[in-house]
Amino acid sequence: MCLRSLSCALLVLATAANGWSQNQLEVLAAPQMQHSTIAMPENANYEVYNDAAEPSAMPGCIYFGGGYNFLQPAWQRNPASVRTSVNAGVVNSSPSDFTWDMKGSPSAFVGYRAPDGFGLRGRWQSFDQGVSENYAAGIDTVTTARPLNLGLTAPVGGNLLAESWLNISTYDLEFTQDMTLNNWTLTVSAGGRYAHTNQRYNAFTNAADGTLTGSLVSSHNFNGAGPTMALGARHPFGCKCLTLYSVGRGSLLWGSTERTAFQADATGTVTNFATQNATDVRPVLELEIGLEYAVTVGQSRWFVQSGFLGQVWFNAGGAAQSTGLDLLDQSDSNLGLLGISVRAGVQY
């Protein structure tokens, strides 16, 4: 630009002596630059991505990952046995529940998010744990829970071994929409869920010498599907690598419940059998709050998340599902799962 301006000035001075007109001199003026204006949305939120400032509506990406949920189940009522004693002619019966520990179970997710924030996501979670309790039968009478009103009594001097299992599997497929609000990133999702729950209660009675005297085997299964909706929120926490996140989810499952139980004697011969089928509706609520650490590597973003996780399965009942008995009734018992989640993933 400096050389062009200097050349024009020298040319004007040189030609002025020759009497050039003003109009002729104007032709030599430098052409004006044309400017274009780029319209940007008001209050656009920018973030550093790949060392370049870009709008928060990032290019479309695929993301996937997995982890473990370390959860401890709890019921309002989930009896393993009942101990009955007689004191001064007064009969006292007290149930004993199973004691459950925290256990890790796998989870996985995969999804796609378009540049406008709309996407599709699939999720899978599983929980599988079993426990057992052993009760000695002395002066007091020790009996089992009563699935479908079938039960056993441990012989005097013998013992009762009770076992319980819980298995839960959920599969979610949902549409997602990301949006920004000030420094918050919100994700709204809606779709469908299929769930399978299996609860089992088994009991075995043994004589004082360890000989098997009877067995009781039962199961309580639910298979259902229905809508699921979730709201997630994310906010920077301290440095740019940390993010505070929370997710709340609600599902409503319609399905079928199947209960079976059979009782056998010492030889393994089935002496009693019962079954029950019903249609059931089960609401499920979930809440997770935690922190995410993320780093950008080339064109990909790697992240690790960990947080507190809680679930409530309403009207899930218990393993034995003893109905009609005041001490053992589990027909309206809710199932809760509480613990922590740890997962890792990548988006690119």
Side-chain angles (χ1 to χ4, degrees), residues 4 7 30 33 60 86 156 171 196 205 221 224 229 241 283 305 307 330:
R4 183 181 182 89
S7 299
M33 298 293 294
V86 180
V156 176
Y171 304 85
H196 167 76
T205 56
N221 295 310
M229 299 182 66
C241 295
Q305 296 177 338
Q330 300 171 279

Side-chain angles (χ1 to χ4, degrees), residues 95-116:
S96 298
D97 286 358
F98 287 100
T99 301
W100 294 77
D101 298 322
M102 186 176 292
K103 183 182 178 181
S105 296
S107 66
F109 60 92
V110 61
Y112 171 77
R113 182 174 62 243
D116 61 358

Side-chain angles (χ1 to χ4, degrees), residues 194-198 220-225 253-259 276-282:
Y194 169 78
H196 167 76
T197 65
N198 171 250
H220 173 200
N221 295 310
F222 171 78
N223 292 282
L253 306 175
W254 285 270
S256 59
T257 299
E258 179 185 25
R259 303 183 181 96
Q276 184 182 76
N277 296 285
T279 301
D280 205 356
V281 178
R282 295 187 178 179

